[in-house]
Amino acid sequence: MTAPRSTRQREVIVRVIEDAPGPLSVPELLARAQQDLPGLGVATVYRTLKLLQEQGVVHPVHLDGESRFERAGRGHHHHFACRTCARVFDLHQCPVALPKGTVYPGGFVVEAHEVTLYGLCPECAARPPA
Amino acid sequence: MTAPRSTRQREVIVRVIEDAPGPLSVPELLARAQQDLPGLGVATVYRTLKLLQEQGVVHPVHLDGESRFERAGRGHHHHFACRTCARVFDLHQCPVALPKGTVYPGGFVVEAHEVTLYGLCPECAARPPA
DNA sequence: ATAAATGCAAAATGTTTGCACCGGG
DNA sequence: CCCGGTGCAAACATTTTGCATTTAT
């Protein structure tokens, strides 16, 4: 048995993910973690993300061709991507009613769904483009 | 004025995209197009896809970290990704009611939305795993 | 004939892996 | 101590770009 060790890098990476208002891209995650751990390398970030995914602590969100990562187990939720500032936020209200097992027209058996909304985040909506 | 030329490669690429039941990945697209045009190179596929996107003929769909491309202008629709055979299909009924301009709780102004359903396609549902 | 389009190979990106050193238990 | 974890650099995979040649017009 090989219990993962607790290291400063892992602590920081997990904390950064937990403190984020939505899923983070690898560059975002790396930049934030390096504020506490300047020497941190990308490889460690990827390896840690992989580990955390296997542990079910974190899971990936693919959005606009970018891989982002967020804390798992925060319940069913979806995402909002701001077209102005490019940040991604969690939404806590689901606009879809598709219970697992629903059969969609055509005979598609639905097991899960993913929704992404695009538009302006509260900040960018209050401060429109020049 | 620089009107794009009509070439055999472009004809084939467009036809392959039109004949598909859903968005295609670049490898899928390349493989199908090469059946008619064995010498076709990847670079041409990417360049053509870029051109077709600028013309608004094709648009990208990002799904599970993979870039796929489909004919644009087929109206509002979403996608279904089969977990068994990994193919992606178009759905022609939208499970979300979020008109452009809707303001989502928290102050998020919605301009567009994207939905992906995951599960079993009709074929795989009829022929369950061993 | 002219310039756009293609194919190839080299160059950017983004992610993974090999390896010597570091450090948690 | 010991072996897992880290950083660095090399290896990969995917997408883009440079350039000589082909080809639509």
Side-chain angles (χ1 to χ4, degrees):
Chain A
M1 44 224 49
T2 45
R5 290 179 187 172
S6 171
T7 66
R8 179 125 182 68
Q9 310 39 7
R10 283 178 189 168
E11 285 164 23
V12 172
I13 290 171
V14 170
R15 188 178 46 62
V16 167
I17 292 174
E18 284 178 348
D19 290 350
L24 297 174
S25 65
V26 170
E28 283 170 353
L29 175 44
L30 181 65
R32 295 184 194 193
Q34 283 181 334
Q35 295 188 332
D36 283 312
L37 249 156
L40 181 63
V42 220
T44 297
V45 171
Y46 280 108
R47 279 188 284 231
T48 302
L49 284 171
K50 193 179 172 190
L51 174 73
L52 294 173
Q53 288 178 69
E54 286 163 357
Q55 296 180 332
V57 174
V58 151
H59 79 116
V61 177
H62 299 291
L63 210 140
D64 275 321
E66 247 199 340
S67 295
R68 290 172 169 272
F69 301 83
E70 69 180 356
R71 182 110 214 262
R74 273 200 257 177
H76 183 68
H77 70 276
H78 298 297
H79 302 103
F80 185 100
C82 180
R83 283 185 160 149
T84 297
C85 66
R87 286 181 297 172
V88 178
F89 303 84
D90 284 2
L91 294 176
H92 303 289
Q93 187 177 319
C94 176
V96 193
L98 281 174
K100 196 172 169 174
T102 300
V103 177
Y104 214 74
F108 294 94
V109 181
V110 179
E111 294 178 342
H113 67 265
E114 214 169 81
V115 177
T116 307
L117 305 185
Y118 295 89
L120 298 167
C121 72
E123 285 176 44
C124 291
R127 183 212 315 127
Chain B
M1 50 216 55
T2 45
R5 290 178 185 174
S6 170
T7 67
R8 181 125 181 68
Q9 316 27 15
R10 283 179 190 168
E11 285 166 22
V12 171
I13 290 171
V14 170
R15 188 178 45 63
V16 168
I17 292 173
E18 284 177 349
D19 290 349
L24 297 174
S25 65
V26 170
E28 282 171 353
L29 176 43
L30 181 64
R32 296 184 193 193
Q34 283 181 333
Q35 296 188 334
D36 284 311
L37 249 156
L40 181 63
V42 220
T44 298
V45 172
Y46 280 107
R47 278 188 285 233
T48 302
L49 284 171
K50 192 180 171 189
L51 175 72
L52 295 174
Q53 288 178 68
E54 285 162 358
Q55 296 179 333
V57 173
V58 151
H59 79 117
V61 178
H62 299 292
L63 209 139
D64 276 321
E66 247 198 342
S67 295
R68 290 173 169 271
F69 300 84
E70 69 180 355
R71 181 112 217 259
R74 272 198 258 178
H76 183 68
H77 70 276
H78 298 297
H79 301 105
F80 185 100
C82 180
R83 283 185 161 151
T84 297
C85 66
R87 285 181 299 172
V88 178
F89 304 84
D90 285 1
L91 294 177
H92 302 290
Q93 188 176 318
C94 175
V96 194
L98 282 174
K100 195 172 167 172
T102 300
V103 177
Y104 214 73
F108 295 94
V109 181
V110 179
E111 294 178 343
H113 67 265
E114 214 168 79
V115 177
T116 307
L117 305 186
Y118 295 90
L120 298 167
C121 72
E123 284 177 43
C124 291
R127 184 212 315 126

